[in-house]
Amino acid sequence: MRTKTILTNGDVKKIAAAAERHAMARNWPVTIVIFDDGGHLLHLNRLDGATLSSIEMALAKGRTAALGRRESKFYEDLVKQGRVAFLSAPMTGFLEGGVPIVVAGEVVGSVSVSGVKSEEDAEIARAGIAALEL
């Protein structure tokens, strides 16, 4: 039997605080979400000024990253390269901004952001994950 690494509440708070600091330092109004490895919501925060639609986008991108075990941008690129049949997959967040949290080669969750340019969303998510100092 294997031992499974999981995100603690302290980990989630650390990720969320770092992601929020990164976004606020740039005046980026975004929604930040964190999921466990099963795609279950652990944290959601819509910063002041973030659109309501950013909530749904962040949720979708984060679930895609957690369940797909890779960045949501991977799926965006598949579709852009003509693999449109992939749109029927059971995931919905095929835009950049969902980033898996990987510990010792295992995905333990994801961080997802929506509200600014997709590459900036991913930048914020990575800044949050970096707070874990993996």
Side-chain angles (χ1 to χ4, degrees), residues 36-93:
D36 68 10
D37 64 330
H40 302 99
L41 183 64
L42 299 174
H43 173 86
L44 185 150
N45 187 21
R46 182 171 63 95
L47 301 181
D48 292 342
T51 64
L52 293 173
S53 63
S54 69
I55 297 169
E56 295 303 322
M57 290 301 300
L59 288 168
K61 292 191 261 185
R63 280 193 194 101
T64 295
L67 298 175
R69 304 294 197 244
R70 52 180 46 123
E71 290 201 28
S72 55
K73 183 175 183 348
F74 173 84
Y75 300 104
E76 177 182 8
D77 291 343
L78 275 180
V79 173
K80 282 182 178 178
Q81 294 165 5
R83 189 117 189 257
V84 293
F86 202 82
L87 293 170
S88 65
M91 297 176 285
T92 59

Side-chain angles (χ1 to χ4, degrees), residues 20 23-24 27-32 45-51 54:
E20 185 174 321
M24 292 181 75
N27 294 314
W28 288 344
V30 297
T31 296
I32 300 164
N45 187 21
R46 182 171 63 95
L47 301 181
D48 292 342
T51 64
S54 69

Side-chain angles (χ1 to χ4, degrees), residues 8-21:
T8 65
N9 188 46
D11 295 332
V12 171
K13 287 180 180 182
K14 189 181 291 187
I15 294 165
E20 185 174 321
R21 273 192 310 275

